[in-house]
Amino acid sequence: MSAAEHSDERRLEIAENLAGIRERVSQAQSRRGVGKDVRLVAVSKTKPVDDLRCAYDHGQRHFGENVQELVEKAPQLPKDIQWHFIGTLQSNKCKLLAAIPNLWAVETIDSIKKADALNKACEGRSEALRVFAQVNTSGEESKSGIAPDECTSLAEHVVTRCNNLKLQGLMTIGMAHREVDQENPDFKCLRECKNNVDQRLGLDVELSMGMSDDFENAIEAGSTSVRVGSSIFGKRNYNKA
């Protein structure tokens, strides 16, 4: 098989996967009923630029990456891509992130200290940067995120003290292997956090929850943004050269 033939097969695979995920998102949104349209963020960590370009050619605009790959990939791809930073945020990386002109959102603000660092780094941007407060809804020590009972305080700090940031919503990475036929406690918890934030601050923040294994349940539970990677691009390759 030639490289060109393999490339054609890969493009077809991504196109078909993307179309299938979009259809499932649409069906889940229909089952949910009234609510905001759901945003699909294609998580492209460890994937080559050609994979992202293929998804772009089929209409995908929101992509999720970590810092290193964002810095590498953003200059190589169209400027109308809307990048989401979805890795663990380190204060010393905020300047690198803020320098990416088409960075659409940072989804992993989990402390006032990090909010302040990102706010300072964004002083030169033309408009406020969207951020999501990450909440550890499962209580797992391996997960980043602020405790649910501290979420409103963090949200209020972003809104009142961080002029270069815009609170777009709340985000969680739920516990793996939850029962699909029962209400997901992580999604319920984040929805309750949203209710508290909205009531306190007079907002209507988004909910970023749901990944490849549970995005349909997340949408039915109220998610407005889902992060899907392996179901579009295949498993991540952390051992790439």
Side-chain angles (χ1 to χ4, degrees), residues 186-205:
D186 294 311
F187 300 158
K188 180 181 178 181
C189 178
L190 197 67
R191 201 166 60 238
E192 291 171 350
C193 289
K194 167 185 163 56
N195 291 339
N196 292 335
V197 168
D198 287 351
Q199 183 176 6
R200 177 70 171 270
L201 301 175
L203 300 175
D204 181 16
V205 298

Side-chain angles (χ1 to χ4, degrees), residues 83-156:
W83 295 105
H84 293 237
F85 174 74
I86 56 174
T88 300
L89 181 63
Q90 296 176 311
S91 297
N92 62 354
K93 301 293 185 182
C94 287
K95 287 185 178 180
L96 277 176
L97 280 174
I100 298 169
N102 50 333
L103 178 65
W104 194 85
V106 170
E107 296 214 17
T108 51
I109 296 290
D110 61 3
S111 71
I112 286 174
K113 178 182 177 182
K114 291 179 183 179
D116 287 342
L118 186 60
N119 182 62
K120 183 176 181 180
C122 288
E123 287 177 352
R125 290 179 66 92
S126 60
E127 60 182 24
L129 176 64
R130 300 170 188 85
V131 296
F132 290 74
Q134 182 175 359
V135 184
N136 185 345
T137 54
S138 64
E140 295 171 273
E141 292 185 3
S142 61
K143 296 280 177 64
S144 298
I146 199 162
D149 61 359
E150 298 175 356
C151 175
T152 301
S153 296
L154 174 58
E156 186 169 19

Side-chain angles (χ1 to χ4, degrees), residues 226-240:
V226 295
R227 308 175 304 275
V228 179
S230 59
S231 294
I232 297 173
F233 298 111
K235 293 182 179 180
R236 296 176 194 164
N237 177 18
Y238 289 107
N239 297 314
K240 66 175 185 174

Side-chain angles (χ1 to χ4, degrees), residues 25 29 32 34-40 206 223-225:
V25 166
Q29 190 168 317
R32 183 196 66 196
V34 177
K36 296 178 181 178
D37 287 343
V38 177
R39 178 187 309 108
L40 172 61
E206 294 187 11
S223 179
T224 54
S225 186

Side-chain angles (χ1 to χ4, degrees), residues 10-27:
R10 179 60 175 161
R11 285 195 291 268
L12 179 60
E13 176 189 11
I14 292 172
E16 290 179 343
N17 289 347
L18 186 57
I21 294 298
R22 286 173 173 160
E23 177 60 25
R24 289 168 63 188
V25 166
S26 178
Q27 290 177 358

Side-chain angles (χ1 to χ4, degrees), residues 20 46 51 71 76 78 88 112 128 172 196 219:
T46 79
D51 280 4
V71 171
Q76 303 179 59
T88 300
I112 286 174
T172 192
N196 292 335
I219 292 170

